[in-house]
């Protein structure tokens, strides 16, 4: 089913994001995660794509097994930076053969060695246009409530978001954020730009200190005072920090649902227990 139709049918839509294991590691681990999350009955599962020199095979394999063996709609991520048009066409043919209908079309991060290299793609909007032209896919795109890291102004980022929607993106999933007020403000600004497709908040629970540091280096998101004091209080106690991270995510989700968001996209980080607790305790699903 096209994900755009899922957003028309349900509210709030629950989607879970998983990532393939590192190259050389068996896919079994991700399927163990999916086994543990299956009874949450997500409306769809998205599978990330590690762009740096890896093939899309593992993402496609996982996405097609999610649909066939877990009877759950899947969303395959696809990045275009560093790929030629021919390579992308091949990937799209493969996705079509495997019956994958939904694609999250991304540019991907630019590796340093690519900076001066000739490229077939510069921005995600080019990939979106190409996929949308094939008509048999439903395309989604990424959104950044605090602006993309390369972007100097949020208004520039919103212009880009509008071009992604105009190119054919039918739903948008955001980068993680920890202050809901930033998301609400972004949503308002997106509506003012006539961006009418579902704009879905991406929520990442903080489960350990290393993860926080990595996130801050990669995305430059704001940390509210409440979260900062949580880090201070629990920085030497990994178990309590993870518990507090779960509580924080639950509060964030409950507030977003009360405000009427169209969906919640949970970055699971392939964790089972914490994700189950978050989903049940924020009433996104009932525990049987
Ligand atoms: C929900 C979500 C899922 C993700 N999944 C993955 C994944 O699976 N694998 C992965 O490698 N990465 C993933 N990413 C990260 C993403 O690849 C990076 O953030 C990347 O740097 C930008 O990708 P994009 O598709 O947003 O790019 P774009 O939309 O192309 O934007 C990139 C930058 O270019 C600017 N820009 C766009 N168009 C123009 C233009 N015409 N002129 C000038 N500037 C312009 C934008 O403002 C922005 O600063 C994900 C991100 C999100 C939010």
């Amino acid at each position: 089913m096209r994900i755009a139709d899922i957003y028309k049918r349900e509210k709030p839509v629950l989607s879970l994001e998983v990532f393939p294991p590192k190259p050389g590691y068996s896919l079994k681990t991700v399927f163990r995660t999916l086994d543990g999350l299956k009874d949450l009955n997500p409306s769809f599962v998205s599978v990330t794509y590690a762009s740096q020199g890896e093939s899309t095979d593992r993402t496609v394999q996982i996405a097609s097994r999610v649909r066939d063996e877990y009877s759950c709609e899947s969303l395959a991520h696809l990045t275009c930076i560093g790929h030629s048009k021919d390579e992308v066409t091949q990937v799209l043919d493969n996705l079509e053969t495997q019956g994958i209908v939904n694609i999250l079309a991304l540019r991907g991060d630019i590796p340093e060695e690519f900076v001066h290299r000739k490229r077939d793609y510069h921005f995600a909007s080019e990939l979106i246009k190409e996929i949308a032209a094939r008509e048999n896919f439903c395309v989604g795109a990424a959104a950044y409530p605090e602006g993309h890291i390369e972007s100097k102004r949020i208004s520039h980022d919103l212009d880009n978001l509008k071009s992604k929607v105009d190119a054919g993106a039918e739903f948008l999933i955001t980068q993680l954020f920890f202050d809901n007020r930033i998301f609400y403000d972004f949503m308002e600004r997106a509506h003012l730009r006539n961006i009418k497709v579902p704009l879905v908040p991406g929520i990442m629970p903080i489960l350990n200190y290393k993860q926080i540091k990595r996130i801050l280096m990669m995305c430059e998101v704001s940390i509210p005072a409440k979260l900062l004091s949580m880090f201070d209080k629990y920085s030497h106690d990994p178990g309590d920090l993870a518990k507090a991270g779960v509580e924080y995510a639950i509060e964030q989700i409950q507030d977003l649902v009360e405000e009427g968001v169209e969906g919640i996209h949970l970055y699971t980080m392939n964790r089972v227990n914490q994700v189950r607790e978050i989903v049940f305790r924020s009433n996104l699903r009932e525990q049987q």
Side-chain angles (χ1 to χ4, degrees):
M1 181 185 241
R2 295 167 66 86
I3 285 175
D5 291 333
I6 298 181
Y7 284 113
K8 284 180 197 148
R9 200 185 59 178
E10 297 168 27
K11 192 173 165 179
V13 166
L14 168 65
S15 51
L16 302 178
E17 181 171 308
V18 297
F19 55 82
K22 286 187 182 145
Y25 288 84
S26 153
L27 289 186
K28 275 186 192 153
T29 53
V30 72
F31 289 110
R32 231 175 277 137
T33 304
L34 288 164
D35 288 340
L37 299 175
K38 190 178 175 185
D39 69 324
L40 298 180
N41 200 15
S43 305
F44 67 90
V45 166
S46 89
V47 187
T48 66
Y49 169 49
S51 48
Q52 318 273 325
E54 240 186 274
S55 85
T56 53
D57 287 359
R58 286 157 81 81
T59 301
V60 179
Q61 261 186 62
I62 299 166
S64 62
R65 278 183 64 181
V66 163
R67 210 208 34 228
D68 297 342
E69 295 171 25
Y70 293 79
S71 310
C72 177
E73 199 42 74
S74 61
L75 169 65
H77 296 207
L78 175 63
T79 65
C80 56
I81 200 77
H83 287 300
S84 66
K85 293 237 174 208
D86 286 347
E87 283 165 350
V88 166
T89 303
Q90 267 179 33
V91 174
L92 295 177
D93 290 346
N94 185 19
L95 285 164
E96 211 173 308
T97 311
Q98 300 291 328
I100 309 269
V101 182
N102 302 294
I103 303 177
L104 191 72
L106 303 143
R107 184 200 67 182
D109 289 328
I110 305 177
E112 263 172 44
E113 69 269 22
F114 279 16
V115 172
H116 299 295
R117 200 190 286 179
K118 182 184 167 298
R119 300 181 203 154
D120 275 1
Y121 298 92
H122 301 85
F123 302 112
S125 49
E126 297 158 325
L127 177 65
I128 293 167
K129 200 168 173 187
E130 201 169 314
I131 302 174
R134 291 175 69 129
E135 291 182 354
N136 34 10
F137 290 113
C138 174
V139 196
Y144 302 85
E146 301 188 55
H148 181 258
I149 195 159
E150 290 163 31
S151 192
K152 290 201 173 67
R153 284 194 305 276
I154 190 93
S155 60
H156 177 224
D157 235 41
L158 282 158
D159 290 342
N160 170 44
L161 197 60
K162 179 74 168 80
S163 24
K164 294 204 269 193
V165 173
D166 291 345
E170 296 181 67
F171 60 96
L172 304 165
I173 300 179
T174 76
Q175 178 172 266
L176 61 102
F177 57 89
F178 298 111
D179 185 343
N180 287 359
R181 290 169 304 182
I182 292 174
F183 174 77
Y184 300 138
D185 185 48
F186 180 67
M187 205 161 65
E188 241 174 77
R189 294 178 73 172
H191 285 163
L192 288 174
R193 301 231 171 189
N194 223 12
I195 294 173
K196 300 259 172 73
V197 300
L199 176 57
V200 179
I203 299 297
M204 181 180 280
I206 294 281
L207 300 178
N208 64 63
Y209 205 68
K210 225 167 92 187
Q211 173 204 0
I212 302 159
K213 280 173 75 179
R214 197 172 47 87
I215 291 169
L216 291 182
M217 276 169 61
M218 281 169 58
C219 353
E220 289 181 355
V221 291
S222 317
I223 304 285
K226 186 176 172 187
L227 199 56
L228 262 183
S229 68
M230 184 181 112
F231 298 155
D232 282 346
K233 195 165 166 194
Y234 301 119
S235 60
H236 300 294
D237 189 334
D240 280 351
L241 179 65
K243 276 189 206 153
V246 165
E247 293 302 324
Y248 194 90
I250 292 170
E251 272 180 37
Q252 246 195 307
I253 292 172
Q254 284 175 332
D255 179 67
L256 288 160
V257 171
E258 266 172 40
E259 287 295 319
V261 292
E262 277 149 311
I264 297 288
H265 184 74
L266 252 184
Y267 293 104
T268 71
M269 294 165 293
N270 292 5
R271 300 292 192 102
V272 171
N273 295 340
Q274 285 100 343
V275 170
R276 292 178 65 82
E277 187 177 352
I278 291 168
V279 168
F280 290 136
R281 288 195 36 225
S282 53
N283 297 321
L284 288 169
R285 292 290 184 266
E286 260 178 51
Q287 192 157 15
Q288 301 298 322

